[in-house]
Amino acid sequence: MKTMRKSLLIAMMVMATAVVFANGEKPNVKVEKVGTKMVALQASQLGTSQTQVQLKDEKGSILHKVVLNNNEKVNKRFDLTSLPAGNYDLEVENETSFTTTPIEVTASAAFVMNGDQVTIIKPVVRQNGDLLDIIMPSEDSTSISVTIFDSNLKPVYKETVEGDTELRRYDLSKLGKGGYRIKLRAQGREFIQFVALK
């Protein structure tokens, strides 16, 4: 009976996640030029989780960061006049998604590269005792790399999951007690989650 309840719970989680993304819950992120070196960010359908907005240079250094709590909409302007010529990324990230929009700054203007904007729906990680479930976004056909590290950052398990897999379950019962780091890599981006075994 317990096994049946667990199976039913997992099936409900998979269906709920699929329904969220199927109902158009993919974030809507729009970046547009509103001045010579000024861009405006409008983002909606972000859900109720914490949203982080970052402007990064081409080395990945964070130049500006804003963290918004339980905010479903973002309206923000960025004045880029003080930035040197180069390539930048405007990133919007929350618990379920990551969107990056490239911006090119020249000596006289800024240009938004909306054609190169990338949105990634993150895999959902859920722990149930010694079981770890990873629910893959159903619309994503790319493969996802899953690596589990122990507390010393030593990899204890690694595999690549094909994009057509909706649910992947890992039995962690043979691992020792303690904290573990789960690294998920999708479309060139890494997402980190932590789990603890008691």
Side-chain angles (χ1 to χ4, degrees):
M1 189 68 164
K2 246 184 182 179
T3 306
M4 189 172 157
R5 280 191 200 148
K6 277 187 183 178
S7 297
L8 186 59
L9 178 63
I10 297 302
M12 287 171 54
M13 284 173 45
V14 171
M15 288 184 347
T17 303
V19 166
V20 165
F21 296 132
N23 286 337
E25 291 301 318
K26 189 174 180 179
N28 180 17
V29 177
K30 182 180 177 183
V31 181
E32 61 184 356
K33 183 176 175 176
V34 291
T36 307
K37 282 194 170 184
M38 173 105 45
V39 297
L41 165 67
Q42 292 181 327
S44 59
Q45 293 177 269
L46 297 171
T48 57
S49 66
Q50 187 180 74
T51 298
Q52 183 173 279
V53 178
Q54 295 184 134
L55 179 65
K56 292 183 177 180
D57 65 15
E58 52 194 61
K59 294 179 183 175
S61 300
I62 300 170
L63 305 176
H64 183 74
K65 179 178 177 178
V66 178
V67 177
L68 305 163
N69 292 310
N70 298 323
N71 193 336
E72 291 198 16
K73 290 186 178 181
V74 176
N75 288 303
K76 186 153 182 57
R77 289 184 176 219
F78 294 87
D79 185 353
L80 309 177
T81 53
S82 63
L83 296 179
N87 297 311
Y88 299 87
D89 286 310
L90 188 56
E91 299 178 352
V92 178
E93 182 174 9
N94 64 14
E95 185 181 30
T96 58
S97 67
F98 171 86
T99 301
T100 182
T101 308
I103 299 170
E104 181 184 353
V105 175
T106 66
S108 59
F111 302 95
V112 178
M113 311 301 188
N114 278 313
D116 295 327
Q117 184 182 73
V118 174
T119 297
I120 301 171
I121 301 300
K122 297 179 183 179
V124 177
V125 177
R126 295 287 181 254
Q127 182 184 7
N128 185 5
D130 290 341
L131 296 177
L132 180 70
D133 294 314
I134 300 181
I135 303 165
M136 309 295 178
S138 58
E139 66 180 44
D140 190 356
S141 60
T142 60
S143 60
I144 296 172
S145 169
V146 178
T147 309
I148 302 174
F149 296 89
D150 64 14
S151 58
N152 297 319
L153 296 181
K154 181 179 175 184
V156 294
Y157 184 81
K158 182 175 183 174
E159 81 166 326
T160 299
V161 180
E162 293 308 316
D164 57 355
T165 305
E166 288 186 358
L167 172 67
R168 192 75 178 113
R169 173 171 276 176
Y170 300 91
D171 182 359
L172 306 179
S173 62
K174 292 189 170 56
L175 299 177
K177 294 180 181 179
Y180 291 85
R181 176 182 178 136
I182 314 300
K183 181 173 81 174
L184 305 166
R185 185 171 179 81
Q187 297 184 29
R189 298 284 177 172
E190 291 182 353
F191 306 104
I192 306 294
Q193 298 249 357
F194 296 92
V195 296
L197 298 179
K198 299 176 182 180

